[in-house]
Amino acid sequence: MQNTLLCLGCGYTACALAPTLLARGWRVIGTAREAADVPGVEMIIWPGQDIPLTGVTHILSSIGPNAKGDPVLAHLWDEIATVAPDLAWVGYLSTTAVYGDRRGDWVDETTPIAPTSERGTWRAEAEAQWQQVPDLPLHIFRLAGIYGPGRGPFAKLMAGKARRIVKPGQVFSRIHVDDIAQSLLASIDAPNPGAIYNLCDDDPAPPQDVLGYAAELLGLPVPAEVPFDEAGMTPMARSFYGENKRVRNQRIKDELGVQLLYPSYREGLCAVLAAEDMERFVPPAEPPAL
């Protein structure tokens, strides 16, 4: 039987995984809220159209929860529970926000979850919902901040809109989308139902350092620092700074044999720069002296 992946929420991450599976001869079905064209992927508008679970062997869900819970399970619990014994692998994309604020300390998959934000609480509840589906070969992936081509700091820097917001002691973990894709693929190749994996790189870093390095790659002046308390950020943006932790990724290396393509933001940003074809970027000339 042909392997068939159903991507519930065929977005940025799923689109990075799909080409490899298609090259292996897989059938890939994806959902989106509106009409979308993803090369090689059979796209379905959902909610709206029926979800074809017959013949599906693998499921990847990246649709975010809300205050009412996981929307996929709210609509498809019975259908998914019915086919669960016949599935080879199910992946649920969660977030490291389920660990909450750790004041800069390290966390790994054995660390009890203790969300301190609304989005972290919703994700923790959604994880529990997926874990309650009987006989589901579930794998949970807790993602750090995702970046990659089209999702990096370069556009803001080129537009002169980037700010180096500094909150002393603050660090974030992050991961390149290609390393997410290769980790998911490694799990698909070696299923371990019930497993939970942190997906992040080896180098939790202050956000101002990442932005400064990106500016240097472009040959632009490093933006001036802006103190966090003076940044005038939106509530959503401020909420990200409310959590400070370092995330370990040893399990994907030990259990899945993953060797990160981009172990830090330095290698990752260089790859993004090349992928976005901005190596020819010429910094704007300095204005003439008055």
Side-chain angles (χ1 to χ4, degrees):
M1 182 174 67
Q2 182 183 31
N3 284 321
T4 299
L5 174 68
L6 171 63
C7 292
L8 295 164
C10 191
Y12 189 67
T13 298
C15 286
L17 173 65
T20 300
L21 297 180
L22 291 167
R24 291 183 175 188
W26 284 47
R27 180 188 181 197
V28 180
I29 305 168
T31 73
R33 293 181 181 178
E34 55 189 32
D37 183 15
V38 180
V41 178
E42 302 170 30
M43 294 300 297
I44 296 169
I45 297 176
W46 190 81
Q49 297 176 305
D50 291 337
I51 299 293
L53 285 167
T54 301
V56 168
T57 57
H58 299 67
I59 294 176
L60 176 65
S61 180
S62 64
I63 297 176
N66 53 42
K68 296 180 180 179
D70 186 275
V72 170
L73 294 180
H75 290 86
L76 299 174
W77 176 289
D78 290 342
E79 292 86 344
I80 292 175
T82 297
V83 301
D86 300 322
L87 296 171
W89 180 92
V90 175
Y92 177 69
L93 301 188
S94 184
T95 170
T96 57
V98 298
Y99 296 114
D101 179 31
R102 300 291 170 154
R103 298 182 179 180
D105 287 345
W106 288 93
V107 299
D108 62 23
E109 294 88 347
T110 67
T111 303
I113 61 175
T116 51
S117 66
E118 185 177 73
R119 70 181 184 281
T121 299
W122 290 353
R123 283 291 185 182
E125 292 171 351
E127 285 186 10
Q129 285 183 283
W130 279 94
Q131 289 169 328
Q132 291 166 11
V133 179
D135 301 318
L136 195 70
L138 179 66
H139 306 72
I140 293 174
F141 301 90
R142 293 173 177 161
L143 277 58
I146 305 170
Y147 73 100
R151 280 198 185 183
F154 296 117
K156 284 187 176 181
L157 281 163
M158 292 169 65
K161 297 180 179 179
R163 298 190 299 167
R164 295 176 67 231
I165 298 171
V166 178
K167 185 178 182 182
Q170 180 78 44
V171 296
F172 292 112
S173 291
R174 52 191 57 79
I175 186 166
H176 192 287
V177 67
D178 288 349
D179 279 323
I180 298 175
Q182 71 148 331
S183 299
L184 295 176
L185 188 62
S187 175
I188 288 171
D189 288 342
N192 181 19
I196 298 174
Y197 300 104
N198 291 334
L199 300 191
C200 59
D201 67 18
D202 297 334
D203 187 19
Q208 65 269 21
D209 290 2
V210 178
L211 192 62
Y213 185 71
E216 292 173 4
L217 290 177
L218 288 175
L220 290 173
V222 175
E225 294 185 354
V226 179
F228 174 75
D229 291 336
E230 300 174 13
M233 304 168 70
T234 66
M236 174 61 76
R238 289 183 68 88
S239 72
F240 285 98
Y241 282 79
E243 297 179 3
N244 185 11
K245 55 184 167 286
R246 293 170 166 85
V247 184
R248 287 195 174 95
N249 59 14
Q250 194 62 40
R251 182 172 287 180
I252 60 171
K253 298 175 181 177
D254 294 344
E255 294 188 9
L256 300 178
V258 170
Q259 294 184 352
L260 293 173
L261 300 169
Y262 310 109
S264 82
Y265 67 86
R266 297 170 188 85
E267 298 89 349
L269 287 180
C270 288
V272 172
L273 186 67
E276 294 182 349
D277 197 26
M278 288 191 295
E279 64 272 13
R280 302 187 196 88
F281 171 67
V282 177
E286 293 186 6
L290 297 178

